[in-house]
Amino acid sequence: MEKGEASLRSRLYDPVAIHAAGSFLEDAMQRFWLNFLRLFFRLLYNEFAWSYDLVAWLVSLGRWKAWGRTALHHCRGTQVLELGHGPGHLLVTLRKRGYDPVGVDLSVNMGRRARRRLDSAGLSVPLVRARAQTLPFRDEYFDTVVATFPTEFVIDHRTLREVTRTLRADGRLVVALGARFEGEGLIASFLTWLYRVTGQAAPCPSAFEPSLREVGLSPRAVCERVGQTTILLVVAEKD
Ligand SMILES: C[S@@+](CC[C@H](N)C(=O)[O-])C[C@H]1O[C@@H](n2cnc3c(N)ncnc32)[C@H](O)[C@@H]1O
């Protein structure tokens, strides 16, 4: 056997090399899947924002708006900042219930959709296109900062520092982290699986706790029932 051939064979049949090749493939697949998901959600919040409500309706079996409204049970005061307002359903409800909400979202298309929704309801709510990580508001302005089903911007330390800065001394952050299907049916099992593989499963609220405490927020986990689903929320008071 030629020297080069022997070394090739030993590389091909060496269990360590096979394992390394396997994990390389696994890593590559995982990277591909993560990049695909990133692209999918970027498109859903931007170019395909028009399809967001339909997608949200389908993956919640029609309960998306009711899921978001669970956050309202924990809002206090009147000045409420909604981070990542999306198509603006919660802003409409907040305004109708007498709050003075302000909406922030990074997506121009979501801003347009929310504006249209508010206009057609005859409601006036300031909408700001900004990153949650750099909020263009003065210190200690809001009674409540709320975010429903936010993307990872909500666990970014810069966002949490901005939340603490813009909250009043006795203000609070309310985050609807995600939903769990309690039923055993085929659709509930499918959606649970779908949420898991797309990284949308509700994170454990306790995983969020150290980051919140670090910026001076004292969190507690809250569960709310909506039909056969449970919404996991975190309510964090400014220390
Ligand atoms: C999953 S959607 C949730 C929308 C809405 N809250 C709801 O319950 O349907 C996330 C929203 O956050 C916005 N977003 C993503 N990153 C952001 C950031 N860094 N700052 C502000 N908004 C952001 C997206 O444009 C999108 O509208």
Side-chain angles (χ1 to χ4, degrees), residues 2 5 43 46 100 116 149 192 229:
E2 293 291 314
E5 194 189 340
L43 291 173
N46 294 279
D100 278 326
R116 229 174 290 145
F149 315 114
T192 303
T229 53

Side-chain angles (χ1 to χ4, degrees), residues 150-218:
T151 56
E152 60 271 9
F153 72 76
V154 83
I155 52 167
D156 188 326
H157 280 244
R158 291 168 299 173
T159 302
L160 295 177
R161 270 196 294 270
E162 283 293 79
V163 167
T164 321
R165 180 184 68 75
T166 54
L167 274 177
R168 289 195 180 135
D170 57 351
R172 56 164 57 166
L173 169 68
V174 180
V175 184
L177 287 172
R180 270 194 203 138
F181 292 88
E182 304 298 343
E184 295 284 302
L186 203 63
I187 298 180
S189 306
F190 169 72
L191 288 172
T192 303
W193 170 83
L194 186 69
Y195 278 45
R196 193 158 41 79
V197 297
T198 56
Q200 304 303 299
C204 182
S206 58
F208 200 22
E209 192 177 331
S211 316
L212 291 167
R213 291 208 182 277
E214 208 180 303
V215 295
L217 294 166
S218 300

